[in-house]
Amino acid sequence: YCNRPLLQKLKAASESSACKVEMEERFCSVALDIIGKSIFNYDFGSVTSESPVIKAVYNTLVEAEHRSMTPAPYWDLPFANELVPRLRKFNDDIGLLNSVLDELIQKAKETRTVEDIEELEQRNYDQVKDPSLLRFMVDMKGADMDNKQLRDDLMTMLIAGHETTAAVLTWALYELVRNPECMKKAQEEVDRVLGGSDRAPTLKDVQEME
C-alpha cells in the first residue's frame, strides 16, 4: 500500500535519463508513511505530498540532532524559547505533533472495544478496520492510560523510527550496487518467488524468500 507511490515515482525516474533520485530522502518518506499507517492508522502521504505534519517531523528531527551536538543547552536559559527564532519554530512543531497525536489517542480511546487479553491476542487483524499499534495498546491497557506517556512513546517511534529504517535501506541498496553479484542473486530470488511477474510482492512472498 505505502510503497506503491514510491515505486511509481522510481519507475518514472528510471525512464528519464536526466533525473537523479536521492534515495535516502525517498526511503525516509515511505518509512514515515508505513509508520503512520501501522502505528497510528494515519495516512501521512509523504511520498506524494508534504503536509505541515511531515515538515514538523523533519524539523523536529533536525533540532534533536542539533541539540545532541551542542555542548551548552542554551534552550534551557530563561526566555530563550521566546526570543530565539529557531526555538520558537521548534516549539511550534512540537505543539503541532502533540496536537495530532493527542487527537489520534483520544479517538482511539473513544472507539475502544472492551475485550479480554485472550480475545485481543486472537484478534484477526486482517479483518479489523484499524489494525494499528495504537488501537491495540488502547484496547489492551484501557481508556484510563496516561495520554502523555503514550504520546511520548509514539513520538519516539515516529521521529526516530523512520530515519533509522531509511538509513538501513539506503545502505543496503548502496552495497547491492557496489556488488553486482549480490544484486544479481537478489534479483533472481525475487524472480523465483514472483514467477517473473511485475506484481507487487505479498507478505507470503517475502516469507518465502531466502
Side-chain angles (χ1 to χ4, degrees):
Y1 174 81
C2 293
N3 65 342
R4 289 175 185 171
L6 174 62
L7 294 176
Q8 292 171 356
K9 282 199 168 187
L10 292 179
K11 182 178 180 181
S14 68
E15 296 170 351
S16 174
S17 59
C19 182
K20 292 184 179 181
V21 179
E22 177 56 59
M23 287 308 301
E24 185 173 12
E25 178 185 345
R26 298 303 174 97
F27 284 142
C28 271
S29 295
V30 75
L32 186 60
D33 286 349
I34 291 172
I35 288 176
K37 290 297 290 182
S38 60
I39 294 182
F40 314 110
N41 194 37
Y42 186 88
D43 190 359
F44 286 110
S46 61
V47 173
T48 57
S49 62
E50 189 175 25
S51 71
V53 176
I54 297 168
K55 291 181 180 179
V57 169
Y58 287 124
N59 291 339
T60 301
L61 182 59
V62 169
E63 178 63 22
E65 293 176 346
H66 167 73
R67 294 190 178 195
S68 69
M69 296 183 291
T70 303
Y74 63 89
W75 48 87
D76 289 333
L77 294 173
F79 305 110
N81 286 277
E82 289 77 20
L83 297 175
V84 180
R86 180 192 189 103
L87 296 181
R88 291 203 304 269
K89 181 67 172 65
F90 171 70
N91 291 325
D92 288 343
D93 290 331
I94 286 293
L96 174 60
L97 294 177
N98 285 342
S99 176
V100 170
L101 293 181
D102 283 339
E103 182 178 347
L104 293 173
I105 292 170
Q106 188 60 36
K107 182 179 179 180
K109 286 188 173 184
E110 291 174 353
T111 58
R112 177 175 177 255
T113 302
V114 181
E115 297 178 2
D116 59 34
I117 295 179
E118 185 176 350
E119 289 176 326
L120 286 173
E121 291 176 344
Q122 295 178 357
R123 179 185 290 175
N124 184 357
Y125 283 91
D126 289 336
Q127 306 298 324
V128 177
K129 184 178 180 181
D130 179 3
S132 66
L133 177 61
L134 174 59
R135 167 84 281 153
F136 176 80
M137 292 175 68
V138 170
D139 288 349
M140 175 71 78
K141 296 185 177 182
D144 57 344
M145 63 189 305
D146 181 63
N147 277 26
K148 185 178 184 305
Q149 181 62 52
L150 178 57
R151 186 188 69 202
D152 291 345
D153 291 342
L154 295 175
M155 183 80 78
T156 299
M157 287 186 277
L158 175 64
I159 299 297
H162 81 281
E163 187 194 33
T164 52
T165 301
V168 170
L169 290 172
T170 304
W171 182 255
L173 185 60
Y174 170 73
E175 288 296 332
L176 286 173
V177 172
R178 289 182 63 244
N179 297 274
E181 292 184 2
C182 294
M183 174 72 85
K184 182 180 178 182
K185 185 177 180 180
Q187 291 172 330
E188 290 174 347
E189 178 66 7
V190 172
D191 290 341
R192 180 186 68 81
V193 175
L194 299 184
S197 68
D198 291 332
R199 66 177 177 83
T202 63
L203 175 61
K204 185 178 179 181
D205 292 329
V206 175
Q207 292 172 337
E208 290 182 2
M209 294 181 186
E210 299 178 356

